[in-house]
Amino acid sequence: MRIVIAGTGYVGLVSGTCLAAKGHNVICIDIKPSIVANINKAIPPIYEEGLEALLQQVITSGHLKAGVDLQVALTDAEGVIIAVGTPNNTQGTIDLTYVLACAREIGAYIKKVDRFLPVIVKSTVVPGTTDTAIKNEIEQASGKKLGQFGLGMNPEFLREGKAVSDFMEPDRIVLGYEDEGTLAFLQALYAPWGCEKLAVNTRTAELIKYTNNALLATQISAVNEIANLAAAMGGIDVQDVMRGVYLDKRWNPSIDGQRVNPEILAYLVPGCGFGGSCFPKDVQALHAHGDQLGLPMAMMKAVLSVNDTQPLEVIAGLKKVVGDLAGQRCLVLGLAFKPETDDVRESASLRIISALLDHKAQVSAHDPVAVKNFATALGPRSNGITYVSDWKSAAATAEVIIIATKWPEYSALSTLGLQGKIIFDARRLLKKEDLPFARYLSIGYNGHATRSPLKVR
Ligand code: UDX
């Protein structure tokens, strides 16, 4: 099928590349000529595992090209996908400027032609946006009514670092639609995928996306709140508590006596909080949306409030042991919001390092790929940090070592024989038993002795 995708950000480009890889003919549109030129040379503007190779493949095969002119690209299109950004504005609500501008331009095209064009929203928008604001914008710009053009909402569930495989092998595909023509289009578009598909109205599709992220974020904040309680009590390591919980078969069923260890357990790990471009923004937008409807959204509010102070639990935990942090040589390992990405948006490290600087600690920091982005995000305060490339040598001279991102390479800490150092493992990368020589602290463990569980998996 001939598809146009408006927006070549993270979602638009991954979607376009993957749709092209399944045999569709895709034109990706961006307003920035330099991005378009690079995509046509198979150079993606973002790093994403497997993207460059797949882009190379679809550019070479001619299934994908990029352009700057949406009107021209639409001439031949069987459907158009809106994948432009929806940043949060200062009130936490989403900013629809780009989505509506795009809808207007598509509407202007629809006005000129006498054919049915399905318009699919992939940008994350709060429930009720596609069938009101976006529909109205297209109707006004085209002078036509829904039915003369099509309208759908097809949310993405792409994790950074795994976006290509998440698109190619999805758990499910949500086909939100307002008219039968659009449902038929979406079914044909995703015919090459064999997974379960859910056909719903557009506002249900929109809420599925938010609910998915909001529930995962809720799980994280709930576990973190319990972890903080455990640390405040002492004599408990919340990880032992969680091991006890993980053994409940409703979280972790057994098949033929073997635990399944489902991926959901990876969202039940106590830590210094969630970050990235989705969880904080989506929970905030859901909260703001409920607010506008006169709902208190107490759960979403609590999820955000726990997460907001969670990075500071690292500082509080350290101060209880170290006392004054002024002048302490602190090494922060990990600056990205999670491993396998250079993205630092809403990264806990931004809050942890800012607080360490506030306390006049001597801060050094390492990340395998995110230093540049981090320095930019932190701004002038970044000058107060020493960025190191050899973190193992830096660890030898530091007094306090904080693991803030779960990069696997940091597990080598347990082999360095760092006698007497304080290691604050804010991501539960290490086992305290593997660091008998150091003073091990974590979220949910304040260093006061516990009995280790007798038998754990
Ligand atoms: C998320 C969703 O998983 C994806 O489906 C959606 O469409 C986009 O948002 P992403 O932001 O890439 O993906 O990251 P994810 O791997 O889900 O982690 C999100 C954050 O939660 C990270 O900051 C991570 O460190 C944090 N996290 C995760 C915790 O703090 N504790 C946990 O137990 C698990």
Side-chain angles (χ1 to χ4, degrees):
M1 297 174 86
R2 296 179 305 279
I3 313 298
V4 168
I5 300 186
T8 63
Y10 179 72
V11 172
L13 187 60
V14 171
S15 306
T17 306
C18 293
L19 287 168
K22 290 283 188 180
H24 294 302
N25 291 311
V26 179
I27 304 179
C28 286
I29 298 296
D30 204 287
I31 50 169
K32 290 195 187 129
S34 57
I35 291 183
V36 167
N38 276 337
I39 293 173
N40 283 324
K41 283 186 255 168
I43 304 169
I46 47 154
Y47 176 76
E48 189 57 45
E49 176 82 34
L51 181 60
E52 193 163 356
L54 203 59
L55 184 61
Q56 179 79 58
Q57 186 187 309
V58 294
I59 292 278
T60 309
S61 69
H63 282 97
L64 186 138
K65 57 185 180 182
V68 285
D69 195 328
L70 182 58
Q71 298 285 329
V72 170
L74 286 174
T75 313
D76 208 23
E78 289 168 76
V80 53
I81 297 173
I82 300 178
V84 294
T86 49
N88 272 22
N89 58 31
T90 43
Q91 294 83 46
T93 53
I94 53 165
D95 180 351
L96 290 176
T97 310
Y98 306 115
V99 170
L100 293 181
C102 192
R104 210 172 308 133
E105 213 187 324
I106 294 167
Y109 169 79
I110 292 171
K111 184 178 187 162
K112 293 185 293 191
V113 294
D114 187 22
R115 68 186 183 93
F116 177 83
L117 182 74
V119 183
I120 311 301
V121 179
K122 211 176 220 328
S123 306
T124 298
V125 291
V126 294
T129 303
T130 300
D131 66 2
T132 58
I134 296 175
K135 182 185 89 155
N136 294 345
E137 203 69 40
I138 302 173
E139 287 188 339
Q140 269 170 29
S142 66
K144 294 183 181 165
K145 288 281 167 210
L146 177 67
Q148 293 173 286
F149 64 89
L151 194 56
M153 203 283 151
N154 169 224
E156 52 83 15
F157 302 96
L158 307 176
R159 287 165 302 172
E160 283 192 43
K162 297 201 168 68
V164 171
S165 59
D166 280 349
F167 199 103
M168 294 304 255
E169 295 134 42
D171 302 330
R172 75 321 212 170
I173 299 174
V174 176
L175 313 176
Y177 69 103
E178 290 299 315
D179 55 280
E180 294 301 324
T182 297
L183 177 60
F185 167 79
L186 284 169
Q187 281 169 330
L189 184 69
Y190 287 109
W193 278 264
C195 65
E196 284 162 80
K197 292 166 194 161
L198 204 66
V200 291
N201 63 16
T202 57
R203 53 179 60 196
T204 305
E206 289 159 338
L207 191 52
I208 289 173
K209 160 75 192 198
Y210 277 99
T211 306
N212 212 63
N213 280 352
L215 277 183
L216 292 169
T218 302
Q219 239 184 249
I220 296 170
S221 276
V223 169
N224 284 343
E225 189 170 74
I226 301 283
N228 299 343
L229 177 75
M233 290 171 65
I236 299 180
D237 180 351
V238 80
Q239 198 59 5
D240 297 337
V241 175
M242 293 315 297
R243 281 174 182 147
V245 174
Y246 299 153
L247 292 173
D248 185 315
K249 67 176 182 306
R250 289 165 295 185
W251 287 111
N252 194 355
S254 288
I255 296 178
D256 297 334
Q258 287 295 314
R259 290 284 177 175
V260 173
N261 290 319
E263 218 176 318
I264 193 72
L265 297 183
Y267 290 84
L268 280 176
V269 182
C272 53
F274 58 78
S277 62
C278 284
F279 283 5
K281 171 176 169 275
D282 291 354
V283 179
Q284 213 163 45
L286 206 52
H287 175 248
H289 185 53
D291 226 27
Q292 284 176 339
L293 293 171
L295 297 169
M297 302 300 279
M299 290 283 288
M300 296 302 105
K301 202 169 169 178
V303 169
L304 290 170
S305 136
V306 170
N307 198 56
D308 192 43
T309 50
Q310 198 59 18
L312 303 180
E313 290 295 321
V314 175
I315 309 300
L318 281 174
K319 279 173 71 180
K320 280 193 189 127
V321 173
V322 179
D324 191 1
L325 285 168
Q328 287 281 328
R329 293 188 302 279
C330 299
L331 170 65
V332 178
L333 296 178
L335 302 172
F337 84 94
K338 67 171 194 177
E340 318 304 334
T341 176
D342 64 356
D343 194 339
V344 301
R345 281 176 287 178
E346 307 279 338
S347 170
S349 302
L350 288 164
R351 303 286 307 284
I352 293 170
I353 287 188
S354 296
L356 288 172
L357 292 172
D358 289 344
H359 284 87
K360 307 206 175 343
Q362 271 185 53
V363 183
S364 55
H366 174 270
D367 191 284
V369 291
V371 169
K372 196 164 155 268
N373 286 345
F374 189 85
T376 309
L378 199 62
R381 292 203 92 184
S382 184
N383 297 330
I385 304 168
T386 308
Y387 295 104
V388 298
S389 47
D390 177 0
W391 67 265
K392 290 181 186 171
S393 300
T397 56
E399 292 161 292
V400 173
I401 300 164
I402 300 165
I403 303 175
T405 312
K406 210 171 188 169
W407 285 103
E409 67 180 272
Y410 299 143
S411 56
L413 262 181
S414 61
T415 64
L416 299 183
L418 300 167
Q419 204 67 37
K421 308 224 181 250
I422 294 172
I423 297 183
F424 197 111
D425 180 2
R427 291 293 178 191
R428 295 288 173 164
L429 176 68
L430 308 165
K431 289 199 182 82
K432 63 177 180 298
E433 305 79 64
D434 295 339
L435 298 155
F437 45 79
R439 182 97 196 253
Y440 181 89
L441 303 170
S442 187
I443 298 288
Y445 178 61
N446 69 7
H448 292 164
T450 63
R451 289 190 190 95
S452 290
L454 272 181
K455 186 174 174 236
V456 290
R457 282 170 199 274

